């Protein structure tokens, strides 16, 4: 059932959604509600597709066992007419493989379902569903589209071959309800290590380092600095009308995985913990003690999406900057550019 559902779901997608599912890359500016509406169906299709591939894999394994069994039976009974059945099953197996391959080509990186969709839900709460969110998303399979950096190291006299992939999945920005804005980048460093153990067996393992870059700029009309000390991985600038915090952090996994949303928002909460809302401020900003404080956002929609955090750090090349700056590309969204203010 999951196979037919996945096929039907894909056919029901809009042409723009099909284009995203097929290419898994988008650079544009949409309101938060349009992002949710656009990506929720792509995310749901990806879920159906994953389940369909699992079902197909099980069925293909059973068909292979059936083919082998029938071939053995045909020769054991010297009844070669039975060989027609393995041929039929072979055709069925080929069709299954073709269908599974089609689903595999449309597979979207789990960062969409497991990180960016929860991220958007928080953005909706903390920036408002009409807020404009600019984003450059790349949810392709890094092992298929990126050329790795190769290394060789010696460990106890044995060579280890390391392939390093550095996908940049998310660059995003949105103005928050408290008139703060922050910019964020999520990228990974994935290491695939191949080696031979002392017993002569080939082994491999994958490790992931999630790199989080956040720049939060908070208005002095809403916040003041408290007495908390600035952590070593945060840079602080006291500007004329705002406070600017720039955070760089790493989260490590001993496998190939996706950054957990709570880890990202924990870092954002840390930045809000360095601020104190002004007494009687018109903007009823969230308290720094909230588990996910004013949390999701990124940059003012009228400026370059990550001018200080991203471009000045040379994390991305000119192509990345140009592609994110093209506001007219991708799926058309609402023209409402108004800012939101906390109602307290």
């Amino acid at each position: 059932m999951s196979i037919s559902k996945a096929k039907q779901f894909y056919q029901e997608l809009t042409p723009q959604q099909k284009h995203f599912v097929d290419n898994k890359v988008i650079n544009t500016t949409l309101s938060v509600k349009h992002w949710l509406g656009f990506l929720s169906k792509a995310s749901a299709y990806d879920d159906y597709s994953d389940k369909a591939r699992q079902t197909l894999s099980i069925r293909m394994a059973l068909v292979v066992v059936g083919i082998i069994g029938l071939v053995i039976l045909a020769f054991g009974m010297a009844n070669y007419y039975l060989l027609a059945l393995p041929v039929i099953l072979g055709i069925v197996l080929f069709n299954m493989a073709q269908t599974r391959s089609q689903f595999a080509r449309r597979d979207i990186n789990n960062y969409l379902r497991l990180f960016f969709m929860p991220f958007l839900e928080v953005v909706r709460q903390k920036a408002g569903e009409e807020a404009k969110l600019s984003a450059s998303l790349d949810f392709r399979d890094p092992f298929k589209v990126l050329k790795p950096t190769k290394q060789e190291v010696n460990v106890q006299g044995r060579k280890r071959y390391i392939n390093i992939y550095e996908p940049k999945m998310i660059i995003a920005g949105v103005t928050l309800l408290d008139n703060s804005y922050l910019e964020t980048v999520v990228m990974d460093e994935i290491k695939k290590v191949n080696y031979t153990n002392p017993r002569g067996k080939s082994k491999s393992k994958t490790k992931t380092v999630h790199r989080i870059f956040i720049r939060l700029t908070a208005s002095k009309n809403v916040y003041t600095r408290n007495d908390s000390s600035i952590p070593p991985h945060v840079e602080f600038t006291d500007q004329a009308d705002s406070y600017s915090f720039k955070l760089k952090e790493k989260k490590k996994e001993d496998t190939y995985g996706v950054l957990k949303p709570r880890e990202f928002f924990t870092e954002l909460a840390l930045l809000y913990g360095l601020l104190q809302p002004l007494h009687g401020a018109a903007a009823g900003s969230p308290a720094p003690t909230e588990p996910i404080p004013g949390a999701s956002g990124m940059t003012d929609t009228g400026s370059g999406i990550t001018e200080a955090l991203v471009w000045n750090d040379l994390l991305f090349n000119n192509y990345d900057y140009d592609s994110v700056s093209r506001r007219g590309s991708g799926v058309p969204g609402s023209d409402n550019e108004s800012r939101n203010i906390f109602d307290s």
Side-chain angles (χ1 to χ4, degrees):
M1 184 177 292
S2 60
I3 299 171
S4 59
K5 272 189 177 182
K7 289 181 177 180
Q8 180 183 353
F9 206 100
Y10 180 79
Q11 295 304 321
E12 292 174 353
L13 297 176
T14 66
Q16 293 88 351
Q17 289 168 334
K18 288 180 180 178
H19 184 271
F20 173 72
V21 168
D22 292 340
N23 295 277
K24 306 163 194 63
V25 177
I26 186 171
N27 306 311
T28 193
T29 299
L30 298 172
S31 66
V32 174
K33 69 178 180 182
H34 281 100
W35 274 114
L36 284 166
F38 180 75
L39 291 179
S40 61
K41 289 188 176 181
S43 177
Y45 168 75
D46 186 57
D47 190 29
Y48 281 126
S49 177
D50 287 350
K51 292 176 181 177
R53 283 193 297 149
Q54 292 173 3
T55 300
L56 283 167
S57 295
I58 294 172
R59 291 182 181 179
M60 288 170 64
L62 293 175
V63 170
V64 168
V65 171
I67 290 174
I68 295 173
L70 286 170
V71 170
I72 294 174
L73 182 64
F75 282 100
M77 297 178 61
N79 186 352
Y80 301 111
Y81 290 107
L82 288 176
L83 292 176
L85 293 177
V87 172
I88 295 173
L89 288 180
I91 296 173
V92 173
L93 180 64
F94 176 79
N95 291 333
M96 286 183 177
Q98 290 289 94
T99 302
R100 189 182 186 282
S101 176
Q102 189 177 62
F103 284 131
R105 287 195 302 271
R106 293 173 181 161
D107 184 50
I108 303 173
N109 194 308
N110 284 338
Y111 261 95
L112 173 61
R113 284 191 292 115
L114 302 183
F115 181 87
F116 197 66
M117 294 306 295
F119 174 87
L120 283 176
E121 286 293 343
V122 177
V123 171
R124 181 180 61 81
Q125 297 171 26
K126 302 302 182 179
E129 64 178 15
E130 297 296 336
K132 295 293 184 176
L133 185 142
S134 299
S136 176
L137 308 177
D138 188 344
F139 294 136
R140 295 174 295 176
D141 184 342
F143 303 121
K144 294 180 180 179
V145 300
L146 297 181
K147 184 177 180 180
T149 301
K150 298 181 179 293
Q151 296 179 355
E152 289 185 16
V153 297
N154 286 313
V155 178
Q156 298 179 347
R158 295 180 178 274
K159 282 189 176 182
R160 294 196 174 191
Y161 303 92
I162 304 173
N163 288 339
I164 302 175
Y165 301 83
E166 295 184 304
K168 306 159 190 170
M169 287 76 63
I170 299 166
I171 313 172
V174 63
T175 301
L176 303 179
L177 290 170
D178 59 358
N179 279 334
S180 298
Y181 70 91
L182 68 89
E183 301 158 288
T184 191
V185 178
V186 176
M187 59 184 295
D188 282 348
E189 179 185 278
I190 307 165
K191 290 185 178 181
K192 296 189 74 173
V193 183
N194 296 289
Y195 61 98
T196 303
N197 67 13
R199 297 180 180 178
K201 293 184 178 180
S202 296
K203 297 287 185 178
S204 64
K205 57 183 178 181
T206 304
K207 295 186 177 182
T208 307
V209 177
H210 305 298
R211 299 184 183 273
I212 305 170
F213 301 85
I214 300 174
R215 186 188 182 199
L216 174 70
T217 302
S219 171
K220 288 185 176 180
N221 293 328
V222 180
Y223 295 102
T224 185
R225 270 282 288 127
N226 58 27
D227 296 331
S228 302
S229 59
I230 304 296
H233 64 298
V234 175
E235 296 180 15
F236 170 68
T237 304
D238 190 343
Q239 300 174 337
D241 57 357
S242 62
Y243 300 109
S244 178
F245 300 92
K246 181 178 176 181
L247 178 148
K248 298 181 183 181
E249 182 62 308
K250 299 177 182 178
K251 303 292 182 180
K252 297 181 179 180
E253 285 192 62
D254 289 330
T255 184
Y256 175 49
V258 173
L259 175 68
K260 297 176 177 59
R262 70 170 180 271
E263 293 181 334
F264 174 87
F265 289 117
T266 296
E267 296 302 322
L268 186 54
L270 182 149
L271 295 183
Y272 268 93
L274 302 173
L275 295 168
Q276 179 178 331
L278 291 174
H279 179 69
S285 55
T289 54
E290 289 184 4
I292 301 178
S296 79
M298 281 99 218
T299 179
D300 188 308
T301 57
S303 64
I305 185 171
T306 48
E307 294 171 346
L309 171 60
V310 181
W311 319 125
N312 291 350
D313 278 354
L314 301 180
L315 287 171
F316 300 89
N317 56 31
N318 289 335
Y319 171 79
D320 295 306
Y321 180 84
D322 292 340
S323 65
V324 177
S325 299
R326 292 191 209 105
R327 301 302 189 203
S329 64
V331 183
S334 168
D335 294 329
N336 180 7
E337 300 289 346
S338 61
R339 290 190 174 190
N340 295 286
I341 301 175
F342 272 116
D343 296 326
S344 78

